[in-house]
Each structure stands twice: as C-alpha cells, then as structure tokens.
Amino acid sequence: MEFKQFDTDKLMYVTNRPPLVFTEGSGMYMTDNNGKRYLDFLQGWAVNSLGHSPQCIVDALVVQSKKMINPSPAFFNQPASELAVMLTANSCFDRVFFTNSGAEANEGAIKLARKWGQIHRNSADESRYEIITFNHSFHGRTLATMSASGKPGWDTIFAPQVPGFPKAELNDLGSVEALINSRTVAVMLEPVQGEAGVIPATHEFMQALRQLTKKLGLLLIVDEVQTGCGRTGELFGYQLSGIEPDIMTLGKGIGGGVPLAALLAREEVACFQAGDQGGTYNGNPLMTAVGAAVMKELLKPDFLPSVKEKGAYLSAELLKLCKKHGLQGERGEGLLRALELGSDIGPKIVDLARERNPVGLLLNSPRPNLLRFMPALNVSKDELDQMLTILSDILTQLHHG
C-alpha cells in the first residue's frame, strides 16, 4: 500500500481544517509542509505554555524515556510524586490525581464531588449529586463534561444528557442561589470562560460564590484547564480573587504540549476509595516528568511577573487597535485575551492572517465577532508587536475593502 507523506484522507472528519500540514515548531513559530512559517497565537489552544518544543521539555522526554515510561498506575513513580509536591506546595490543595486530558480531569472532579455528596447526605435516602454549572461554559467532550458545559446546542448532539447540571449565569449570584436545593453538592466554574469568548468571572463574584458555598456546605470546583499554570499571570486563576476552592482541575499548560492534566482536592474532600478512580496511563513518569519541567520554569522568580507585564502590554495595545479601527474593546486576564470586533469578521481575519506571506499568523475566533489570543507565556514583546502589526494591517485591508 502506497503511503503519501502528507495524505490526510484517512483521518476522521471532526472539524474543518485548512489544507496544510505542520511539520515543525519552535517557540512561537510553526512551519508547514511547504516550508512556510507561521507566528502561532493559538499554541494548541493555550496548551504550549512554553512554546513549541522548548528545550526543557525535550530534555525531560529524552532523559525520562531512557529511565522508565510506564511502570503501571498500580505503583508509585518518582516524577509523579515530584510534580504532586510542587502543585500542592504552591496551591491550597493537598491531594493530586493525574489524568491525560482536561476533560478527564473534569470528569474526575464530577465523580469526586458526587462521591463526597454520597458520604455527606442530607438524609438517609437522598444523595447530593447536582453540580451547578454556567451557561456558555466549556468543561470537555465526554458525555458528562458536555452535559456540564453550557455550550449552546450541546444538549441535543448526543442526547440524552447526563442529568444533574443545572445552569446559572456567570457573575450573577442570584441565579446560583435560585438553583440550590437539597440535591446540590457543588458549584463548578471557569475563572475565565474561554470558549465563550474570554469572559472573566469578576473577583467580587468569585469571592461571593466562595462565601455562599461555604455557608451552605457546598463544594466549589474551579476548572482551570485553560486558566491554570500561569496563563492569567498568577500560577492559578483562583488566586486572582484571593479565595480557596475545594477542587481544581488543570490541563493544557501543565504539560506544555504533552497529554497531561490533574485533579486536585483539599484533604477533607479527597474521598475516593479503592477502585473508584484510575486509568492505564494516569500519572505515568514520562508525562509527569514533562509536567515537573514545566512547573520549574513557571516557578522561576521572574516568570509570572513577566506574564502579568506582557498581559498588561497586550491589553493596552489591543485597546489602541480598538481606537484606531473602531472596534468594541478587549478583555481577559494575563495572556488569555479577546478582541471584540463589533461585527462577524473574525473568521475572515483568521483566514487572511493564515494566508499572509511570507509569514502567516495563526489566530482563533471562538465567536464570529471576536478573536482570542493564547500565546506562549514566554512570548517576547517583539512577537506581540509583530502580531499586532499584522492584525492592524488586516483590519485596514478589510476596512478599505
């Protein structure tokens, strides 16, 4: 059977993709099969926290692959233990369970909350299992996490949904209070709703929600798959509000590009029993060695302050673009930001940016009327300026077109 190097016909269709194949990546750039370079402001949807193929990840993979790849989750291994210590030492959590994806971590958080609700029943016959989530939220693509998500239309794609996820409105405490009943066990939210268009939960809302959940004996779960691991300028997004949740999920940036995620919980909430949770690849030393290497970079003294500084710079420069081109505004936290366009030109901008020569620009438009920016956390100001210049040129082109 003949194999063509760039034949993609046998890959299952799940989304529309441009007719190019990426073959290399370094830092903020990728190169396609024709040798064209692209400045990448997607970075795998905020996955490549240190850019493409950073040396620390390459070294971790090489060194660990020569030692041990997977001893089985029936045994402890050194890199998983090392990474768990770093995560708990720098957060309010006491226990860690490693997974392979953010959706799997969120699925684990749902299971853990429901297990806790079975133990802390309201009566002999009624378990607490309902988890209040939010309209326009995104928690993953398993059946349970799709049901937990508030993405429009997802309630019918693979119906019937998994029950037990009533939807509130972000930044509206009253909408949360209205859904609480004897079956409620937890509230789950993203500190910044990424897929909804980079909509931050206000710090006041996060604080009030923590007070409410504590008062009523409910768990607070933060889905930090996109906001965790330095993306907001703090190590974890919940730290922006000065609160301490009960459960947190991580993904994307924790692995810097490899499949690694985590479920974290406070000691009194970590109630799994033998057989409740597991996974063949969970916490394997190859992936957790990479996670440890990423965390060591994030925890260097100047790293997170530089993310805050570049996030503020990007915000200010996007506001300048708004004034220059008559756009609506910008929003976000740290280096997770969105530009509100005022009209549905986002997909057109994405196409024009990618097709630009000699260097293309990769952007994301999660909603037709906005762009989302998710650069590597070690992006340079020169690279930010290069993106802003290209974007301004495209906006000018569209305006005069």
Side-chain angles (χ1 to χ4, degrees):
M1 179 182 294
E2 182 182 359
F3 172 70
K4 298 178 182 178
Q5 187 177 3
F6 301 115
D7 188 349
T8 59
D9 291 346
K10 299 305 178 185
L11 294 173
M12 188 176 292
Y13 174 82
V14 292
T15 189
N16 293 324
R17 297 173 181 172
L20 53 88
V21 178
F22 286 109
T23 57
E24 294 181 36
S26 178
M28 280 292 295
Y29 290 87
M30 285 203 292
T31 304
D32 70 15
N33 54 299
N34 296 311
K36 180 180 173 180
R37 298 177 74 227
Y38 300 78
L39 180 61
D40 184 6
F41 268 74
L42 277 72
Q43 290 293 334
W45 270 262
V47 166
N48 303 319
S49 47
L50 302 177
H52 291 282
S53 300
Q55 193 61 49
C56 66
I57 289 182
V58 173
D59 291 344
L61 286 169
V62 170
V63 171
Q64 187 59 44
S65 67
K66 292 178 180 179
K67 292 181 178 180
M68 179 183 291
I69 293 176
N70 194 349
S72 153
F75 304 102
F76 294 119
N77 70 75
Q78 188 272 332
S81 300
E82 180 185 11
L83 180 54
V85 167
M86 281 192 280
L87 290 170
T88 54
N90 290 280
S91 72
C92 65
F93 303 100
D94 306 298
R95 298 285 179 173
V96 183
F97 175 76
F98 291 113
T99 69
N100 309 294
S101 69
E104 189 184 349
N106 283 334
E107 187 96 4
I110 292 166
K111 290 167 66 176
L112 184 61
R114 288 188 171 185
K115 183 75 175 186
W116 188 87
Q118 291 171 4
I119 295 169
H120 298 274
R121 295 169 180 264
N122 281 322
S123 68
D125 352 284
E126 188 174 42
S127 291
R128 299 162 68 188
Y129 67 91
E130 287 190 351
I131 299 173
I132 297 170
T133 57
F134 291 83
N135 283 322
H136 307 292
S137 60
F138 183 92
H139 298 295
R141 294 183 179 275
T142 66
L143 283 176
T145 55
M146 285 184 74
S147 301
S149 299
K151 196 173 170 94
W154 272 24
D155 56 336
T156 59
I157 297 177
F158 303 112
Q161 285 196 305
V162 176
F165 299 101
K167 304 294 188 296
E169 298 295 333
L170 190 67
N171 295 324
D172 181 349
L173 193 67
S175 72
V176 178
E177 292 175 308
L179 295 174
I180 295 172
N181 58 57
S182 60
R183 299 179 299 276
T184 307
V185 68
V187 180
M188 180 177 185
L189 81 164
E190 305 154 274
V192 181
Q193 289 187 339
E195 290 295 311
V198 191
I199 302 173
T202 67
H203 301 172
E204 294 77 14
F205 176 72
M206 293 288 283
Q207 291 165 1
L209 188 62
R210 176 70 283 194
Q211 290 174 2
L212 176 67
T213 51
K214 273 189 175 180
K215 176 184 174 183
L216 298 179
L218 306 176
L219 301 179
L220 180 60
I221 306 170
V222 286
D223 172 350
E224 299 236 19
V225 171
Q226 190 160 132
T227 56
C229 300
R231 178 58 55 181
T232 67
E234 295 289 345
L235 192 58
F236 307 114
Y238 76 82
Q239 294 169 331
L240 292 167
S241 303
I243 64 166
E244 293 190 351
D246 301 294
I247 297 173
M248 177 174 71
T249 57
L250 299 174
K252 296 185 183 291
I254 189 176
V258 306
L260 177 66
L263 163 63
L264 293 89
R266 294 190 297 109
E267 183 70 45
E268 54 269 37
V269 179
C271 57
F272 280 144
Q273 296 176 325
D276 284 348
Q277 187 64 301
T280 306
Y281 301 104
N282 295 53
N284 73 81
L286 189 62
M287 297 300 99
T288 50
V290 172
V294 170
M295 283 294 294
K296 287 173 185 176
E297 291 296 315
L298 301 185
L299 291 171
K300 288 181 177 178
D302 296 333
F303 192 93
L304 291 175
S306 76
V307 174
K308 287 185 180 180
E309 178 187 349
K310 287 178 287 193
Y313 178 77
L314 179 56
S315 174
E317 293 301 310
L318 289 174
L319 284 174
K320 290 179 184 177
L321 280 187
C322 290
K323 292 180 180 179
K324 179 178 179 181
H325 296 283
L327 307 179
Q328 281 194 327
E330 74 86 38
R331 59 178 180 246
E333 298 280 8
L335 285 174
L336 177 59
R337 311 211 71 85
L339 180 64
E340 300 174 83
L341 301 168
S343 61
D344 292 349
I345 59 173
K348 182 65 174 176
I349 292 174
V350 169
D351 288 343
L352 289 172
R354 187 183 63 251
E355 294 161 5
R356 191 176 178 87
N357 286 308
V359 176
L361 170 64
L362 302 178
L363 294 172
N364 170 242
S365 178
R367 295 287 183 275
N369 64 340
L370 61 84
L371 298 174
R372 175 171 50 167
F373 305 92
M374 302 167 284
L377 301 182
N378 53 1
V379 61
S380 69
K381 281 193 175 180
D382 285 345
E383 290 163 338
L384 290 172
D385 287 338
Q386 184 181 1
M387 181 276 293
L388 291 160
T389 298
I390 294 172
L391 180 55
S392 184
D393 289 347
I394 291 171
L395 289 167
T396 300
Q397 176 184 340
L398 288 174
H399 178 74
H400 292 295

